[in-house]
Amino acid sequence: MTRVVGVHGAGKQLMGSVMLRGDCFPALSGGLRHAGQPTLSEGALTQALHEDLFRPPGRP
């Protein structure tokens, strides 16, 4: 079950959800570990994307 939803910021609209999650999950896990909190399971983070607003279908 998803516990955290990440939303990309400016300049990340051309990245896909897998790439963004690959950047965010280790950083979030490390921060939680550093704060003495339990880390998240692999399925606990989902990346919400809105790149379709920047790249309409059929346009690079």
Side-chain angles (χ1 to χ4, degrees):
M1 176 201 300
T2 299
R3 294 178 51 205
V4 177
V5 177
V7 180
H8 68 77
K12 302 292 186 182
Q13 67 269 18
L14 300 179
M15 298 177 75
S17 62
V18 174
M19 289 178 69
L20 286 169
R21 190 179 178 289
D23 288 345
C24 294
F25 185 77
L28 181 58
S29 295
L32 288 168
R33 189 177 312 112
H34 183 71
Q37 300 298 312
T39 58
L40 298 172
S41 67
E42 286 287 327
L45 174 65
T46 298
Q47 284 295 142
L49 299 174
H50 54 271
E51 80 265 5
D52 57 323
L53 298 175
F54 297 96
R55 293 190 299 171
R59 296 182 62 193

